[in-house]
Amino acid sequence: MAPLLDVRNLVTRFYTEQGVVNAVNGISYTLEEGESLGIVGESGSGKSVSVMSLLKLIPTPPGRVEGGEVIFNGRDLLKLSRSEMRRVRGREITMIFQDPMTSLNPVLTIGRQMTEGLKLHLGMNDSQARKRAAEMLDLVGIPGAEDRLSDYPHQFSGGQRQRIMIAMSLSTNPALLIADEPTTALDVTIQAQIVELVKQLQEKLGMAIIWITHDLGVVAGMVEKLAVLYAGYIVEQGSVFDIYEQPAHPYTLGLLQSLPKVDAREQTRLASIEGLPPDLRQEFDYCPFAPRCPYVIDKCWEENPPLMATGRDQASACWRWETVLTEKSRFGVEEV
């Protein structure tokens, strides 16, 4: 049976006055119905651009999807017309963005914004759409849902606005929900509530989820598969358990080492990955992580490693992945 989503060799570039930015460099992954995938990496690694490319939301110019296929429910999304793609976005695939205040229109009521998509995609009339919107607000924990449809975004807290965005995204019963760092602008307590809410709704509604974050700690308990991005490349992918238990790429090790450990027996300084993120205006004929890697060898400067199988369902783009596995204690990963 074909997967729900099959991304094949996706390539996205931005043409700027400063040069060509190689934002996404041939990434591939699959997602089954009801499955959850975490895409992790530091700022500028290509996480958001990769999913915006799936939905054909890259601003053109300066951006352009230059290669690959995005097979969703048997169709290549990159080949759909604008009108065909509009029927997919908001109906079959929905997205939650980082900052709900910039995603919600400040001069329209919440009810107006929630019912617009229901009428467009599901053909509901005003009363049906309003009833459905109230049900969704109640589902995500907004008290007095019916009355609050007449309120404006500024009348809600940050956590409530994000819950509204989740309700809006799920109201059309999508097959795939993309969450682009939806907890970044929220405090830690609200973050935990939003993560738990999304987990509960996924189990209840049976949708697939792509969760984008720079924080490996956030996705540890909520996704089944993980893809680690660096410089627009997937440098490691596999089941979340395998990657946390047996990381096989130095960048993944560095991300894991940067997590605070609540059960640490003694106080230790959080580690950081030395060096600076790469300049994406250059094309890499060597490993993009080589300038920052403690395991670097001459071959790393001569050829960019492909993803190589390191286990049954795990792969790493590292020439020395076997050494990384055997020396993972160097990063203290056994305590994560």
Side-chain angles (χ1 to χ4, degrees):
M1 185 175 177
L4 175 70
L5 177 69
D6 187 357
V7 179
R8 305 172 185 171
N9 200 33
L10 183 67
V11 177
T12 303
R13 304 275 185 263
F14 288 88
Y15 292 85
T16 70
E17 293 180 356
Q18 291 75 36
V20 179
V21 178
N22 303 294
V24 179
N25 299 301
I27 67 172
S28 301
Y29 57 84
T30 60
L31 189 66
E32 304 290 341
E33 291 184 13
E35 195 174 38
S36 53
L37 167 72
I39 299 179
V40 299
E42 62 194 5
S43 297
S45 60
K47 305 184 301 296
S48 296
V49 172
S50 69
V51 295
M52 298 288 271
S53 300
L54 307 185
L55 296 174
K56 299 181 74 172
L57 291 175
I58 298 296
T60 305
R64 193 160 70 213
V65 178
E66 295 205 327
E69 296 175 291
V70 178
I71 310 300
F72 177 76
N73 268 341
R75 297 162 296 170
D76 187 352
L77 298 184
L78 300 183
K79 293 181 179 178
L80 297 185
S81 66
R82 284 189 177 184
S83 60
E84 290 172 327
M85 198 63 212
R86 277 197 296 268
R87 287 194 288 270
V88 173
R89 290 193 298 256
R91 175 63 182 94
E92 299 177 62
I93 305 176
T94 57
M95 189 166 179
I96 307 169
F97 295 93
Q98 290 188 30
D99 186 357
M101 205 57 198
T102 60
S103 303
L104 294 168
N105 191 322
V107 300
L108 297 179
T109 65
I110 292 302
R112 168 76 181 277
Q113 296 182 65
M114 290 194 68
T115 56
E116 184 177 11
L118 293 168
K119 289 187 282 188
L120 174 65
H121 293 294
L122 301 185
M124 293 183 174
N125 59 34
D126 288 338
S127 61
Q128 291 172 329
R130 191 170 180 86
K131 180 181 178 182
R132 173 68 171 169
E135 289 173 351
M136 293 306 300
L137 286 185
D138 184 63
L139 182 65
V140 298
I142 300 293
E146 178 69 37
D147 294 332
R148 303 227 62 183
L149 288 174
S150 301
D151 289 344
Y152 291 85
H154 72 270
Q155 295 175 273
F156 295 85
S157 68
Q160 287 178 323
R161 287 194 293 266
Q162 198 61 287
R163 287 172 182 266
I164 291 168
M165 287 302 301
I166 293 171
M168 196 180 301
S169 298
L170 301 183
S171 61
T172 56
N173 294 322
L176 172 61
L177 171 68
I178 299 174
D180 186 3
E181 303 208 47
T183 61
T184 298
L186 307 175
D187 62 59
V188 176
T189 303
I190 304 301
Q191 279 187 27
Q193 293 175 4
I194 296 298
V195 168
E196 186 60 30
L197 173 63
V198 173
K199 285 174 62 178
Q200 292 174 358
L201 292 175
Q202 183 192 18
E203 292 173 4
K204 183 174 182 177
L205 303 176
M207 62 191 169
I209 289 183
I210 296 177
W211 188 283
I212 301 168
T213 183
H214 61 274
D215 187 352
L216 276 169
V218 168
V219 296
M222 68 172 300
V223 300
E224 298 158 273
K225 300 196 302 189
L226 209 58
V228 182
L229 258 64
Y230 186 80
Y233 295 91
I234 292 181
V235 295
E236 186 164 10
Q237 63 183 9
S239 75
V240 67
F241 177 81
D242 289 340
I243 288 180
Y244 276 72
E245 183 70 19
Q246 296 283 343
H249 194 282
Y251 181 60
T252 311
L253 288 173
L255 293 176
L256 288 170
Q257 173 65 6
S258 69
L259 294 175
K261 303 173 181 63
V262 295
D263 59 345
R265 298 181 186 85
E266 55 186 58
Q267 193 171 19
T268 56
R269 290 177 61 89
L270 289 178
S272 61
I273 301 173
E274 295 184 2
L276 297 173
D279 184 351
L280 297 183
R281 290 173 298 178
Q282 60 181 309
E283 293 189 29
F284 294 98
D285 53 5
Y286 59 89
C287 176
F289 192 62
R292 309 172 71 183
C293 182
Y295 293 90
V296 66
I297 56 175
D298 289 343
K299 188 174 183 179
C300 303
W301 295 103
E302 298 167 357
E303 187 179 353
N304 192 350
L307 280 168
M308 295 170 277
T310 63
R312 187 179 62 182
D313 297 313
Q314 187 177 358
S316 170
C318 179
W319 295 120
R320 301 191 65 196
W321 66 266
E322 292 176 294
T323 303
V324 175
L325 279 177
T326 58
E327 296 184 10
K328 67 175 184 174
S329 60
R330 177 176 181 175
F331 279 79
V333 174
E334 72 280 354
E335 297 177 7
V336 174

